[in-house]
Amino acid sequence: MNFQQLRFVREAVRRNLNLTEVANTLFTSQSGVSKQIKDLEDELGIDIFVRRGKRLTGLTEPGKAVHQLIERMLLDAENMRRVARQFADEDTGHLVVATTHTQARYALPKVVREFTQEFPKVQLALRQGNPRQIAQMLIDGDADIAISTEALDRFADIVTFPCYSWHHVVVVPKHHPLVGRANVSLEEVAEYPVITYDRDFTGRSHIDESFARAGVLPDVVLTAIDADVIKTYVELGMGVGIVAAMAHDPKRDTELVALDSQHLFEGSTTRVGLRKGAFMRAFAYRFIEMFAPHLSESDIAGQLREAA
């Protein structure tokens, strides 16, 4: 038994049993992947995978148990490497943060600047995706930290911590009829075409729920994952926009006005997610603390231990 065989099994599950993708990901041949998996099965005396001819079609019952152990073993191996790096050179390394466009564009810039100044030898990478992609990057070990408003707390392998709460705002061109109107209602907003986020992005579910509770059906004419795109089309007069409050900057968005609309939508909470059982290096804890000062290393580490 060797780690390469364990990686082949893990990757086969991750790649939906497509051995061609496994081989491409791990820079080897498909026949090599098949042989290594079969050698491991022969050594263990069980079939890990169900087969139809040469194709893998699923995990056997013992295979499911073996797969869980393999995930644990490979995670522990990575943790050992991280522990060694932590004590060998605590201020050098890599940190990968998976997040959405909104967080990367509006919430993280000051944190990233402060972090790179404090840890100039740490290579920081921001990887953007939708909430489910972000969660999967974290689970697969392709990211150290995940930051998102949606989805993270739906995965059993992820421990989440609330960072900050925020609301959506309605943005309109500065000469729009709604400008200056007090206590704007959802019914009034729905009189105009609506431009907002794609589903599963940036609290979109709270927007939909607010309209549904009010018994109002908005005419959503355009959706995007990027608040800057939404604001661009609002400026063109295509409709009213609904964006995260942090995405509206009066100094930059001089052609737009944000209406007092906090009363219209339920608040959203942005969370930071960490993989259960993962060893976190000191600079990773520091990044989280910069982003959410109320989250201390001791509190995070304690909750990670309880969840393991």
Side-chain angles (χ1 to χ4, degrees):
M1 183 186 306
N2 57 60
F3 279 106
Q4 188 74 335
Q5 292 171 331
L6 304 185
R7 292 189 187 96
F8 286 155
V9 172
R10 181 179 68 178
E11 203 63 35
V13 175
R14 289 182 176 178
R15 302 294 167 181
N16 296 316
L17 310 181
N18 187 321
L19 295 188
T20 300
E21 290 189 12
V22 174
N24 292 337
T25 301
L26 298 179
F27 305 103
T28 187
S29 65
Q30 182 176 337
S31 60
V33 173
S34 298
K35 182 179 185 304
Q36 289 291 329
I37 291 176
K38 191 66 175 64
D39 287 347
L40 178 60
E41 290 178 320
D42 291 343
E43 181 177 347
L44 296 176
I46 60 168
D47 287 333
I48 297 174
F49 294 101
V50 179
R51 290 175 171 80
R52 180 175 297 170
K54 294 183 178 181
R55 292 179 56 247
L56 305 184
T57 60
L59 285 166
T60 64
E61 284 304 313
K64 293 175 183 177
V66 168
H67 173 247
Q68 290 181 346
L69 290 172
I70 287 173
E71 288 282 4
R72 180 75 256 178
M73 291 170 68
L74 292 176
L75 178 59
D76 285 343
E78 177 57 28
N79 284 342
M80 283 191 285
R81 286 190 285 269
R82 289 179 175 178
V83 168
R85 290 195 295 266
Q86 170 76 2
F87 289 96
D89 195 342
E90 61 183 25
D91 291 336
T92 300
H94 299 80
L95 181 65
V96 179
V97 178
T99 191
T100 61
H101 169 85
T102 297
Q103 299 297 328
R105 170 66 177 82
Y106 299 105
L108 285 173
K110 291 182 180 179
V111 175
V112 169
R113 181 179 62 186
E114 182 181 353
F115 180 84
T116 56
Q117 290 173 345
E118 185 170 333
F119 298 96
K121 295 181 181 180
V122 175
Q123 295 182 8
L124 177 63
L126 295 180
R127 295 186 180 173
Q128 296 180 48
N130 66 44
R132 293 185 182 277
Q133 291 170 334
I134 291 165
Q136 199 60 53
M137 280 188 265
L138 186 66
I139 293 170
D140 290 346
D142 296 327
D144 304 296
I145 298 170
I147 299 174
S148 177
T149 300
E150 296 86 10
L152 295 183
D153 56 354
R154 303 174 194 166
F155 292 81
D157 292 331
I158 297 177
V159 183
T160 66
F161 305 85
C163 297
Y164 67 94
S165 296
W166 54 272
H167 283 78
H168 291 93
V169 295
V170 177
V171 293
V172 297
K174 59 184 180 182
H175 300 302
H176 194 276
L178 291 178
V179 174
R181 193 175 300 184
N183 297 317
V184 173
S185 67
L186 289 173
E187 289 81 0
E188 290 174 305
V189 172
E191 291 176 3
Y192 303 91
V194 172
I195 305 172
T196 191
Y197 297 105
D198 280 350
R199 297 187 185 277
D200 293 331
F201 272 87
T202 320
R204 169 65 188 275
S205 60
H206 288 176
I207 297 172
D208 294 341
E209 289 165 4
S210 295
F211 279 108
R213 281 195 299 269
V216 176
L217 183 63
D219 178 19
V220 180
V221 296
L222 180 65
T223 63
I225 66 174
D226 182 339
D228 290 336
V229 172
I230 294 170
K231 291 186 294 184
T232 295
Y233 287 97
V234 173
E235 288 181 3
L236 291 174
M238 289 184 59
V240 300
I242 303 175
V243 297
M246 72 186 88
H248 176 259
D249 182 351
K251 294 181 179 179
R252 292 187 178 182
D253 302 320
T254 57
E255 298 301 311
L256 297 177
V257 174
L259 305 181
D260 181 9
S261 45
Q262 182 170 319
H263 61 286
L264 299 180
F265 306 107
E266 180 184 348
S268 298
T269 299
T270 294
R271 294 178 174 272
V272 89
L274 303 173
R275 185 181 178 186
K276 285 183 181 178
F279 175 81
M280 300 290 295
R281 297 192 63 183
F283 56 70
Y285 284 114
R286 181 69 181 123
F287 183 93
I288 296 171
E289 187 179 23
M290 290 176 179
F291 183 61
H294 65 282
L295 295 177
S296 67
E297 178 177 344
S298 59
D299 290 339
I300 295 172
Q303 290 190 48
L304 286 175
R305 285 193 297 270
E306 292 177 4

